[in-house]
Amino acid sequence: MTSTPFPFTAVVGQDDLRLALLLNAVSPAVGGVLVRGEKGTAKSTAVRALSALLPPVAVVPGCRFSCSPGSPDPGCPDGPHEPGTATERPSRMVELPVGASEDRLVGALDIERALAEGVKAFEPGLLADAHRGILYVDEVNLLHDHLVDLLLDAAAMGASYVEREGVSVRHASKFLLVGTMNPEEGELRPQLLDRFGLTVEVAASREPDQRVEVVRRRLAHDDDPAGFAARWADEEADVRARIVAARELLPSVVLGDAALRQIAATCAAFEVDGMRADIVMARTATALAAWAGRTDVLAEDVRQAALLALPHRRRRNPFDAPGLDEDKLDETLDEFGDRGDDDPDPDPDPGPDGPGGGGGRPPEQGPEDGAGDAGAPPEDGPGEQPPSAPAAGGAGERSAVRAAEPFRTKVLSVPGLGEGTAGRRSRARTEHGRTTGARRPRGALTKLHLAATVQAAAPHQRERGRTGRGLVVRRDDLRQATREGREGNLVLFVVDASGSMAARQRMSAVKGAVLSLLLDAYQRRDKVGLVTFRGSAAEVALPPTSSVDAAAVRLESLPTGGRTPLAAGLLRAHEVLRVERLRDPARRALVVVVTDGRATGGVEPVAQAGRAARLFAAEGTASVVVDCESGPIRLGLAGQLAGELGGTAVTLDELRADSIAGLVKDVRETGSRRAA
């Protein structure tokens, strides 16, 4: 790994990504950037390169919290700061690892010294390091919920609080939040999604000439990083100077009433929630004008601001594709536009970026330029191909049908107490939740159980020579609080796509039910997988993933027809779980079998299905059979299958949250009987 970053101006193409980053460099009040895209599209490369373009930061000498000399934080733990000389340091980009601990993010307080001496011995965390700089989270969609909550609090209040049993430390934490993510690996919580001012979608170019230029620049940089950076030094200096000039111009930019009306009308037309979108659009349009060297905001600035600020705010559920209807956007801008005092000239003089300077596209010229708009340097290697869709062909196959309207489902949970990744489905021992007891800490103390600590220290006060009012506490006295919360599970769907399920109305209802369960899995932070069976075999339509979007796409295109190899479907699901336990042993599984219970094809298909089902029962795997049998005559085969699995059976109607009560109770009781 080289210490010389790839130059920002050498990134080929990705205009929207570079523009969004530059607008935040001009006006940090825009609120950060979320970069969505496939692997190897220079998401991280561009973000890391931005920090080299930012102006240096003036700080109070010796302050670990980067207080500004002109207006130091009155509550700074290193303060109060006396007026004095300032020092400059480069602007920071702090990376938050997905697996970081809470103490690493917010800082650590020495509990032992706090209790025994009343001293606030505080070690700053990443939120302190990122103050007045960039906080970068790669794979932000995989960030644990408790870290997301801390980020939301800091972003909302501009400060970070560390509180442990009545002892608290507060420090300023205002940062530019930049996140990158691959949507195939799961979506973001809506609360965090809304905290990003802008969002951009990136993808690799499909033009051979453009891809050639990407590879050429990447190889040149890897062979001689310092020499490559030197060849782009002039372009870097030009952009750096332009950022400084735009910052100085920004206070003089006028956002007229006409532009404000267009912003408000656009947000209303696209039915975004709240008022944050209006504010972000206004700030973005103003930054666009400053970046273009103008003091007035034009309609094209408003249009570009909408394309960057609204796509992630208008989504209604995780399966809606992001993006804006640009025809509708243009109609709204035309309807509420005003060719009055705010925009008197329909063809303004060219600015630094062409006619009107709108859009503020970053420059693409350079010593090695010649490919025009291209993809970006690959940084993650070749992308993996998605799992193949269910094989087409076969006797009696019917084309895919659309899913019925999803609905809110009952809560399906795994019985017992787990220790998996934090989520919202099943009971588990977690770092957050209600306190249920205390234990000696294993490693660093993270959650103090005060009563248990005092109880452990109290009998030894005389022998430790206690004379004053303070409690003499030793490290061996400290007790970690044990807490119970919720975990996310692996929800593995095993879907019958055979001819017995092929009636269009029936299969539409089945897909609607599975889609509803996928929505529930998204909200509960589960991983999901999809196994389908029909004809003569079963296949893994989607390996376990955090992306419920991908599962929904596979489900939508699922054809039906042929025999019902139920045993093959169960055996394939059993193999998926075996492999997944090796990868993630702490994550418990919930198997949801969607079938009418019939088994055909092969030798003794019903007996084979029974033997396969008993494998799950023997391992104690939680399971639910969604009974899709319909009609006046019911054979009850799905119920028999549930018995073999050691789980419970529910009908499609019972799956709805507003139908017959007691489903969760049934699942848990069945699991308890199985454990007994």
Side-chain angles (χ1 to χ4, degrees):
M1 183 176 179
T2 178
S3 59
T4 305
F6 195 93
F8 186 86
T9 51
V11 174
V12 185
Q14 306 296 14
D15 285 341
D16 285 342
L17 168 58
R18 294 190 297 147
L19 177 61
L21 292 172
L22 289 170
L23 292 177
N24 275 274
V26 171
S27 175
V30 167
V33 186
L34 174 64
V35 188
R36 297 164 48 95
E38 58 197 26
K39 300 178 289 293
T41 49
K43 300 188 297 293
S44 299
T45 296
V47 174
R48 293 189 176 101
L50 175 68
S51 60
L53 298 177
L54 298 181
V57 178
V59 297
V60 173
C63 178
R64 298 175 297 167
F65 301 88
S66 300
C67 280
S68 171
S71 56
D73 179 11
C76 176
D78 284 355
H81 299 298
E82 298 294 333
T85 60
T87 186
E88 284 190 345
R89 63 161 176 80
S91 184
R92 289 177 183 162
M93 189 195 73
V94 177
E95 294 195 42
L96 171 60
V98 169
S101 66
E102 179 179 335
D103 285 349
R104 183 72 187 97
L105 178 61
V106 301
L109 192 66
D110 191 328
I111 301 296
E112 184 176 0
R113 291 188 63 192
L115 287 175
E117 305 172 32
V119 175
K120 294 181 181 179
F122 181 69
E123 184 66 27
L126 296 177
L127 288 179
D129 293 342
H131 181 45
R132 304 176 67 199
I134 301 173
L135 181 62
Y136 171 51
V137 190
D138 193 14
E139 307 292 353
V140 64
N141 50 322
L142 304 182
L143 201 63
H144 290 303
D145 274 1
H146 68 284
L147 297 182
V148 170
D149 293 337
L150 293 170
L151 275 182
L152 289 173
D153 290 342
M157 297 182 292
S160 174
Y161 292 84
V162 182
E163 299 192 11
R164 298 286 168 83
E165 306 297 341
V167 181
S168 64
V169 173
R170 173 214 166 272
H171 63 82
S173 182
K174 298 179 180 178
F175 48 83
L176 174 61
L177 182 60
V178 180
T180 57
M181 60 174 283
N182 182 349
E184 292 181 357
E185 296 172 341
E187 286 292 348
L188 273 178
R189 282 172 56 182
Q191 296 93 328
L192 183 57
L193 190 64
D194 190 51
R195 285 292 173 185
F196 287 98
L198 311 179
T199 185
V200 292
E201 299 277 340
V202 296
S205 172
R206 299 297 183 254
E207 291 294 329
D209 290 342
Q210 296 174 353
R211 297 174 74 95
V212 165
E213 184 64 18
V214 170
V215 176
R216 180 182 292 122
R217 294 189 188 184
R218 186 80 237 183
L219 294 179
H221 174 264
D222 292 346
D223 290 342
D224 183 11
F228 184 82
R231 291 195 294 276
W232 287 87
D234 290 343
E235 285 70 24
E236 293 282 285
D238 289 344
V239 174
R240 192 178 296 112
R242 188 172 171 187
I243 291 174
V244 173
R247 283 187 172 187
E248 294 174 351
L249 182 62
L250 187 65
S252 303
V253 175
V254 177
L255 182 66
D257 289 342
L260 278 173
R261 282 195 298 272
Q262 287 181 316
I263 289 170
T266 301
C267 292
F270 285 99
E271 300 180 356
V272 297
D273 295 328
M275 294 297 298
R276 183 173 284 122
D278 303 64
I279 296 170
V280 171
M281 272 191 67
R283 289 172 174 165
T284 304
T286 303
L288 279 162
W291 176 249
R294 290 184 275 100
T295 57
D296 56 334
V297 175
L298 305 182
E300 54 205 271
D301 298 323
V302 176
R303 185 182 193 279
Q304 182 67 58
L307 293 174
L308 293 172
L310 297 189
H312 61 303
R313 290 188 165 89
R314 61 172 298 272
R315 302 186 68 190
R316 288 295 178 262
N317 66 62
F319 303 145
D320 288 342
L324 291 182
D325 182 340
E326 295 195 30
D327 290 337
K328 180 178 179 180
L329 174 60
D330 290 335
E331 290 174 4
T332 303
L333 294 176
D334 289 343
E335 180 181 355
F336 290 88
D338 184 358
R339 289 293 183 184
D341 295 336
D342 291 309
D343 187 10
D345 187 357
D347 187 16
D349 292 335
D353 293 289
R361 295 291 184 185
E364 185 63 34
Q365 73 278 1
E368 300 184 36
D369 189 26
D373 239 6
E379 61 189 24
D380 299 318
E384 297 179 1
Q385 294 298 321
S388 58
E397 179 179 297
R398 302 192 184 192
S399 60
V401 298
R402 295 186 62 83
E405 191 69 21
F407 52 85
R408 189 165 64 92
T409 67
K410 288 182 180 294
V411 181
L412 306 177
S413 63
V414 178
L417 194 63
E419 295 183 346
T421 303
R424 300 188 184 90
R425 184 172 295 279
S426 305
R427 294 174 56 227
R429 298 182 185 91
T430 61
E431 286 294 317
H432 299 267
R434 64 185 181 89
T435 301
T436 58
R439 60 171 172 80
R440 291 181 181 273
R442 306 185 191 108
L445 179 72
T446 56
K447 296 291 183 182
L448 179 74
H449 194 296
L450 182 59
T453 299
V454 172
Q455 187 176 9
H460 308 290
Q461 295 305 294
R462 180 173 296 179
E463 64 188 71
R464 293 176 182 174
R466 172 184 169 185
T467 57
R469 299 178 61 184
L471 188 68
V472 181
V473 179
R474 304 279 171 82
R475 185 161 295 277
D476 288 344
D477 301 327
L478 300 179
R479 294 295 182 268
Q480 173 84 24
T482 58
R483 303 189 174 213
E484 182 179 312
R486 294 278 168 176
E487 67 177 0
N489 299 114
L490 166 60
V491 183
L492 182 60
F493 294 94
V494 186
V495 180
D496 184 350
S498 65
S500 65
M501 303 280 289
R504 286 188 171 270
Q505 186 174 0
R506 185 179 179 189
M507 197 60 198
S508 176
V510 169
K511 285 187 176 183
V514 178
L515 189 64
S516 303
L517 290 167
L518 284 172
L519 278 166
D520 183 68
Y522 165 78
Q523 294 164 352
R524 300 186 187 281
R525 308 293 286 178
D526 295 315
K527 290 179 71 173
V528 296
L530 179 62
V531 173
T532 64
F533 58 94
R534 66 188 181 92
S536 59
E539 67 174 315
V540 181
L542 184 72
T545 175
S546 296
S547 175
V548 295
D549 283 1
V553 170
R554 299 296 194 280
L555 178 71
E556 193 69 25
S557 61
L558 178 66
T560 57
R563 294 184 180 274
T564 311
L566 177 57
L570 295 174
L571 290 174
R572 182 58 63 91
H574 186 266
E575 176 63 16
V576 169
L577 292 184
R578 184 190 68 80
V579 173
E580 198 63 20
R581 286 192 190 101
L582 297 176
R583 294 174 175 168
D584 191 357
R587 189 183 290 269
R588 298 187 295 164
L590 174 64
V591 177
V592 180
V593 185
V594 185
T595 182
D596 56 10
R598 290 182 171 86
T600 59
V603 180
E604 297 183 336
V606 176
Q608 289 184 26
R611 286 193 291 270
R614 287 191 288 274
L615 293 175
F616 294 88
E619 295 173 351
T621 304
S623 60
V624 176
V625 177
V626 179
D627 185 358
C628 301
E629 191 173 29
S630 60
I633 301 177
R634 296 176 179 266
L635 302 178
L637 298 176
Q640 295 176 24
L641 176 63
E644 299 278 11
L645 287 166
T648 188
V650 296
T651 65
L652 289 174
D653 289 338
E654 291 170 343
L655 193 60
R656 294 179 179 272
D658 54 357
S659 65
I660 304 172
L663 176 58
V664 177
K665 178 173 178 290
D666 289 344
V667 175
R668 289 177 174 166
E669 285 182 349
T670 303
S672 300
R673 289 196 298 271
R674 182 170 63 242

